[in-house]
C-alpha cells in the first residue's frame, strides 16, 4: 500500500498508534496487578472485560482508576456549561489580531479543551467525571497538570516513566524526594516524546523540539514549585505559574507555524504534496 501523503491524516494515524502503544505497554506493566472491575457487582464476560480494559484510558470502570478528580465525589461545575464558556473565549480570541504568538498559544489551549471535551460529551458514560476542570481556575502548575488539565495519559505516564525511574533511583540510593522529582520529570518527558511523534507529519523539526521542551520544562517547573511552596496557596505562586505557562506557551507557539485564525487555515491545500512534507 502507498504511504499516506496527507499530513493531518498521517498525524492522526501517528496519534492512534501512539495511544495504542502506550495503552498496551501500560497494561503489560500492570499485568501482575490489574485494576479491579468495580462498575457493577457482576463481572462481564472475558471478551467484554478485555474490551473495556483496553479501551478505557482512565480505567473508569476499575479501581484504582485515573479520573481527573479522584478525591472528590462530585464536580462543582457543569461540563456542558464550561464547554460553552471556553468556546466563547475561543471565539473572542479569534476576533483579536492573530499575529501575536500569545493569542495563538491560548487558542491552541482552548482548541484542545474544546475538541477533547466535545468528544467526551459524545462518548462519555452517564457517570463519567469531567475530562477537564475550568482552565481559568488553575492556581498553580501542579494543580493545573493534576486537577485542571485532562489526565487521559496519567496511567501510562505512571507505569512507564514515573514508577520505573523512581524505583530505580531509590534502589541506587537516591533520596526519596529526588527519586520522586525525577519520576515526575520523566513522565513529562514521555508526554513530550508522545506529542512530538504525533505531530511529526505536520510540523518541522524546530517546532517539534520546542514542543518536547515545553513538556520537559513544565515538569521541571512543577517539581521546583512543589519544592518551594508544597501545597500552600499563594497569590504569588498563582501569578508565577500563569506567567511561566504563558511565556513558555508563547515561545512554543512562535515556532509552530500556527495559521492566523480559523479563516486563514488552507483547508483545500492540507493534503497537497507541499503540505504533506
Amino acid at each position: 500500500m502507498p504511504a499516506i501523503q496527507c499530513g493531518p491524516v498521517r498525524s492522526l494515524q501517528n496519534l492512534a498508534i501512539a495511544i495504542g502503544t502506550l495503552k498496551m505497554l501500560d497494561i503489560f506493566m500492570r499485568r501482575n496487578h490489574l485494576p479491579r472491575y468495580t462498575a457493577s457487582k457482576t463481572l462481564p464476560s472475558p471478551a467484554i472485560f478485555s474490551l473495556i480494559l483496553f479501551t478505557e484510558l482512565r480505567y473508569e470502570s476499575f479501581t484504582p482508576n485515573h479520573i481527573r478528580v479522584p478525591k472528590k465525589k462530585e464536580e462543582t461545575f457543569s461540563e456542558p456549561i464550561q464547554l460553552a464558556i471556553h468556546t466563547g473565549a475561543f471565539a473572542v480570541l479569534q476576533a483579536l489580531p492573530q499575529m501575536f504568538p500569545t493569542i495563538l498559544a491560548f487558542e491552541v489551549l482552548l482548541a484542545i479543551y474544546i475538541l477533547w471535551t466535545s468528544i467526551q460529551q459524545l462518548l462519555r458514560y452517564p457517570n463519567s467525571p469531567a475530562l477537564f476542570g475550568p482552565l481559568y481556575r488553575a492556581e498553580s502548575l501542579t494543580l493545573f497538570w493534576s486537577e485542571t488539565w485532562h489526565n487521559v495519559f496519567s496511567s501510562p505516564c505512571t507505569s512507564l516513566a514515573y514508577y520505573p525511574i523512581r524505583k530505580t533511583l531509590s534502589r541506587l540510593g537516591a533520596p526519596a524526594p529526588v527519586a520522586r522529582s525525577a519520576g515526575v520529570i520523566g513522565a513529562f518527558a514521555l508526554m513530550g516524546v508522545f506529542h512530538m511523534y504525533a505531530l511529526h507529519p505536520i510540523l518541522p523539526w524546530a517546532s517539534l523540539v520546542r514542543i518536547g521542551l515545553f513538556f520537559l520544562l513544565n515538569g521541571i517547573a512543577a517539581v521546583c514549585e512543589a519544592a518551594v511552596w508544597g501545597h500552600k496557596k499563594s497569590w504569588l505562586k498563582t501569578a508565577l505559574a500563569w506567567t511561566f505557562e504563558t511565556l513558555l506557551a508563547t515561545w512554543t507557539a512562535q515556532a509552530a507555524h500556527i495559521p492566523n485564525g480559523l479563516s486563514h487555515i488552507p483547508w483545500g491545500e492540507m493534503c497537497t504534496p507541499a503540505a504533506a512534507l
Side-chain angles (χ1 to χ4, degrees), residues 2-269:
I4 297 175
Q5 297 299 314
C6 179
V9 174
R10 287 174 55 209
S11 184
L12 290 175
Q13 181 187 50
N14 282 11
L15 178 63
I17 293 172
I19 291 175
T21 301
L22 286 180
K23 182 64 178 178
M24 288 188 291
L25 290 175
D26 181 41
I27 293 176
F28 176 78
M29 294 296 289
R30 299 177 184 276
R31 64 193 182 281
N32 295 324
H33 300 90
L34 289 175
R36 293 183 298 107
Y37 181 81
T38 54
S40 65
K41 295 181 179 179
T42 304
L43 286 176
S45 66
I48 298 300
F49 177 87
S50 298
L51 177 65
I52 296 173
L53 183 66
F54 273 92
T55 54
E56 286 189 359
L57 296 177
R58 295 189 292 174
Y59 295 101
E60 291 173 299
S61 299
F62 300 85
T63 300
N65 55 44
H66 291 268
I67 60 175
R68 189 184 54 79
V69 281
K71 296 181 181 178
K72 298 180 181 179
K73 294 182 179 180
E74 295 181 358
E75 298 285 5
T76 57
F77 58 87
S78 167
E79 190 173 31
I81 291 177
Q82 288 301 320
L83 176 59
I85 291 173
H86 288 77
T87 302
F90 180 80
V92 170
L93 290 179
Q94 285 288 308
L96 299 178
Q98 298 294 300
M99 71 284 296
F100 301 109
T102 300
I103 292 178
L104 298 178
F106 277 104
E107 286 176 343
V108 170
L109 184 79
L110 289 168
I112 296 171
Y113 178 101
I114 294 166
L115 288 173
W116 277 91
T117 303
S118 298
I119 295 173
Q120 154 90 344
Q121 290 296 301
L122 292 174
L123 303 178
R124 70 191 301 273
Y125 296 148
N127 60 343
S128 288
L131 199 58
F132 293 83
L135 301 184
Y136 52 83
R137 289 187 186 178
E139 298 178 350
S140 65
L141 293 174
T142 51
L143 287 179
F144 175 80
W145 290 110
S146 63
E147 295 187 9
T148 301
W149 199 246
H150 77 81
N151 59 354
V152 168
F153 304 115
S154 288
S155 186
C157 282
T158 301
S159 66
L160 301 178
Y162 177 76
Y163 280 148
I165 294 174
R166 178 181 175 181
K167 289 180 179 179
T168 299
L169 291 180
S170 295
R171 290 171 181 170
L172 293 175
V178 173
R180 286 196 301 268
S181 298
V184 171
I185 294 172
F188 274 89
L190 176 60
M191 280 294 94
V193 173
F194 169 87
H195 285 82
M196 290 174 69
Y197 174 75
L199 297 172
H200 177 263
I202 59 175
L203 292 178
W205 179 247
S207 301
L208 297 174
V209 170
R210 290 202 185 191
I211 289 173
L213 287 174
F214 172 84
F215 284 94
L216 179 61
L217 293 174
N218 261 292
I220 295 173
V223 166
C224 293
E225 180 190 77
V228 174
W229 274 286
H231 296 291
K232 296 179 181 178
K233 292 186 177 182
S234 166
W235 68 266
L236 180 59
K237 178 182 179 181
T238 301
L240 288 175
W242 275 95
T243 300
F244 170 82
E245 204 64 55
T246 299
L247 292 175
L248 184 58
T250 299
W251 176 76
T252 305
Q254 284 176 333
H257 300 283
I258 302 171
N260 293 334
L262 292 175
S263 61
H264 290 84
I265 296 178
W267 300 102
E269 301 175 7

